[in-house]
Amino acid sequence: MELPLKFESIQHYRLLYDHTISREELSESVVPDAMPDVARIMEAESHAFLETQACAMGRVDFSGRISTDILYYPEEEEGVRGLSLNTTFQFMEDVTGAEESSVAQAGVRVLSCDVRVLNPRKLLLRIGLLVSLQVYQPEELSHNPQPEQDEGWGVERRTVEQTMNLVLGVSQKPFAFEDQLNLSGARAADRILKCREQCTVQEARIAGSRLVVKGSVRLHFLLWSQEDGMFQETFDLPFSQIMEGGRASEDSMARARVQLTGWSYTLSAGGSAISVSLDLLAQAVLRENRQVCLLTDAYSTRYPMELSVAPLHCIQLLDSGQRRQSLREVLECGTEPQTVQDAWASVGLVSQSAQDMTRTLTADVTVHVVIGEEGGHLSAVSRTWPVSVQIEAPEQSLLEFQCTLADVQADRISGGVEVRLDAQFAYVLRQEEQVDTVTGLTLHEEQPRDCSGQPSIVLRRVQAGEQLWELAKSCCTCCQAIREANGLEGDSLPTGGFLLIPRGR
């Protein structure tokens, strides 16, 4: 006979898939008719925009667009030109267990950008992409089991209290805004050479049943005018979004990010303002510690009983925080720089290595600088340095981290440019433990235990390492009966001592 159990349930999300995918996109692009012929590429920078993502049976599909800004010297013309080219990308990733009800969160960034001139009207683009993909599956966690009825079956249960770090909400929200940005002072530009964006989340918290996400989008424009030559303008555009908070409480830990899914910008007729339109996607994962009661063993003092057991992966939060590391290096230019026209940095591959109880987190940081040389000639130089921090972490623990960069400070020195920036490593450290839990009980009521020939109480010596639960189970009695017969208050047993073991009832 199967004994029905009544469980309490918690609706949560299980992390089904967490992987990083790298791929190189290769394409040929024709220079638009309105643009002059390309003589030489000075610099190129790509931006990846995630446009669609969807879960299907056993896979996740996502696609987007790559916008590549190219600074080049045209043939038979003075000055620098800016050219923007668009290409598309598509990914289909096999994810075992994915369903239409699964929730995918993908983040796309550019690892590398290389543009070559095939001829004055055709360019070869080689773009390296890195996609971080997490897939969550909604599930129900059953805990705190209780028999729906107790008709004298003599069932004893062993339970453990466990703190689990559960994902209680996975939320996404697209949003957009438009603005007109006025150039500083009395400046006016003849054309926009390129634009760079940086999305930053400054706050993510639960208020009531909603998630509030606040931050800003920094837009950095490189412009050109006949009067001033190349110059920069930077704008910070704040945002505040209210998202679904799932089942998380105000004690939950929210991890949020915002990424661009599209943009457009145009220079006003007089060149003194820029009209921008931004499409963005806010993504959030809400985790919270919950106390659960798990049934790990059971037996009957009256009947033989079989257990149905299933493993449960319990994740515990060990630590979370941030580490900051400064980078200060000299970027050799091979010539004497007269001015620094532009400087920016990007995060490439990230990795972690473990030694004993220390985890080293490393990010490859590439710094790009556009310098003005003698005679007004412009050139671009770049170099990559590894930046590392160390975190204390137990062996076999799970450590997630991401690295973001502050603005680059660049000053010309003899023979090169001194660059300074801060790299911020945000990390979350968790421990996973597998607990075998009882999911079902089957009693063989047709085979009751025959205790008629057994004494009502026996004297037994406690063996080394013997536990109260195992002793009671082997003797078909209950833990409380042994405690009462021997005046015990807890579960510890006197090794080598003698205990009175009452017969089970």
Side-chain angles (χ1 to χ4, degrees), residues 338-396:
Q338 301 300 307
T339 59
V340 176
Q341 297 290 345
D342 190 20
W344 58 283
S346 61
V347 177
L349 291 174
V350 297
S351 61
Q352 57 177 291
S353 59
Q355 184 175 6
D356 299 328
M357 299 287 286
T358 300
R359 205 78 56 94
T360 300
L361 315 181
T362 302
D364 289 339
V365 175
T366 301
V367 179
H368 312 258
V369 176
V370 177
I371 60 171
E373 300 174 350
E374 190 173 352
H377 183 75
L378 298 174
S379 64
V381 290
S382 63
R383 186 176 169 185
T384 301
W385 291 279
V387 180
S388 299
V389 296
Q390 291 187 332
I391 307 292
E392 291 185 5
E395 296 181 6
Q396 308 303 320

Side-chain angles (χ1 to χ4, degrees), residues 33-75:
D33 293 338
M35 302 298 295
D37 289 353
V38 178
R40 182 172 64 86
I41 300 293
M42 188 182 78
E43 185 198 31
E45 180 180 357
S46 290
H47 317 268
F49 304 115
L50 179 69
E51 295 179 333
T52 66
Q53 53 183 338
C55 292
M57 294 299 294
R59 74 174 197 272
V60 176
D61 302 323
F62 48 97
S63 62
R65 176 171 59 91
I66 304 170
S67 175
T68 302
D69 291 334
I70 302 168
L71 298 183
Y72 73 96
Y73 283 104
E75 291 187 346

Side-chain angles (χ1 to χ4, degrees), residues 460-472:
R460 172 166 173 166
R461 186 169 192 158
V462 178
Q463 304 299 316
E466 201 165 24
Q467 303 294 320
L468 177 60
W469 172 265
E470 301 299 336
L471 177 60

Side-chain angles (χ1 to χ4, degrees), residues 469-489:
W469 172 265
E470 301 299 336
L471 177 60
K473 183 178 180 180
S474 64
C475 295
C476 293
T477 187
C478 63
C479 294
Q480 186 58 30
I482 296 177
R483 292 191 195 98
E484 292 176 356
N486 296 274
L488 300 176
E489 294 185 356

Side-chain angles (χ1 to χ4, degrees), residues 25 45 48 63 137 172 188 207 227 289 320 336 345 428 446 463 494:
E25 298 289 332
E45 180 180 357
S63 62
Q137 181 65 32
Q172 302 189 103
E227 180 180 350
N289 287 336
S320 65
E336 197 70 29
V428 178
E446 73 283 359
Q463 304 299 316

Side-chain angles (χ1 to χ4, degrees), residues 152-167:
W153 306 117
V155 176
E156 297 293 320
R157 299 176 304 121
R158 181 170 66 178
T159 60
V160 296
E161 296 288 333
Q162 190 88 16
T163 300
M164 295 183 63
N165 189 242
L166 299 175
V167 176

Side-chain angles (χ1 to χ4, degrees), residues 200-423:
T200 304
V201 174
Q202 281 120 16
E203 181 183 5
R205 61 179 177 85
I206 289 288
S209 61
R210 302 292 184 180
L211 172 65
V212 179
V213 177
K214 295 182 180 181
S216 64
V217 180
R218 171 164 288 187
L219 296 179
H220 179 86
F221 289 93
L222 201 60
L223 304 112
W224 178 273
S225 73
Q226 196 66 35
E227 180 180 350
D228 297 323
M230 184 184 295
F231 65 96
Q232 308 173 39
E233 291 282 349
T234 300
F235 304 92
D236 288 309
L237 310 178
F239 62 79
S240 179
Q241 292 295 311
I242 298 177
M243 305 170 64
E244 291 295 328
R247 297 171 178 82
S249 71
E250 295 187 357
D251 294 329
S252 66
M253 182 178 71
R255 186 192 68 187
R257 67 185 176 191
V258 172
Q259 57 184 322
L260 276 178
T261 58
W263 66 358
S264 64
Y265 48 85
T266 56
L267 194 63
S268 65
S272 61
I274 303 172
S275 296
V276 298
S277 176
L278 304 178
D279 296 313
L280 301 109
L281 177 66
Q283 299 174 318
V285 176
L286 305 172
R287 285 184 173 271
E288 187 173 319
N289 287 336
R290 288 287 182 92
Q291 290 291 126
V292 297
C293 179
L294 305 177
L295 179 61
T296 58
D297 199 6
Y299 64 92
S300 170
T301 60
R302 298 187 178 184
Y303 303 94
M305 189 166 69
E306 295 179 4
L307 308 180
S308 299
V309 178
L312 178 66
H313 295 277
C314 300
I315 296 180
Q316 297 176 320
L317 176 65
L318 300 182
D319 188 22
S320 65
Q322 296 181 346
R323 293 283 191 277
R324 185 183 298 272
Q325 182 64 46
S326 296
L327 173 70
R328 184 172 183 172
E329 295 286 350
V330 173
L331 186 59
E332 296 180 355
C333 301
T335 184
E336 197 70 29
Q338 301 300 307
T339 59
V340 176
Q341 297 290 345
D342 190 20
W344 58 283
S346 61
V347 177
L349 291 174
V350 297
S351 61
Q352 57 177 291
S353 59
Q355 184 175 6
D356 299 328
M357 299 287 286
T358 300
R359 205 78 56 94
T360 300
L361 315 181
T362 302
D364 289 339
V365 175
T366 301
V367 179
H368 312 258
V369 176
V370 177
I371 60 171
E373 300 174 350
E374 190 173 352
H377 183 75
L378 298 174
S379 64
V381 290
S382 63
R383 186 176 169 185
T384 301
W385 291 279
V387 180
S388 299
V389 296
Q390 291 187 332
I391 307 292
E392 291 185 5
E395 296 181 6
Q396 308 303 320
S397 59
L398 309 174
L399 194 150
E400 303 172 20
F401 77 97
Q402 61 180 3
C403 179
T404 57
L405 304 176
D407 289 341
V408 178
Q409 304 296 319
D411 297 304
R412 61 189 181 91
I413 59 174
S414 178
V417 176
E418 183 185 68
V419 294
R420 303 180 304 279
L421 63 86
D422 287 335

Side-chain angles (χ1 to χ4, degrees), residues 184-212:
S184 61
R187 273 181 167 175
D190 296 330
R191 56 182 178 266
I192 299 174
L193 296 178
K194 69 173 187 176
C195 180
R196 180 183 316 121
E197 93 291 345
Q198 182 180 12
C199 299
T200 304
V201 174
Q202 281 120 16
E203 181 183 5
R205 61 179 177 85
I206 289 288
S209 61
R210 302 292 184 180
L211 172 65
V212 179

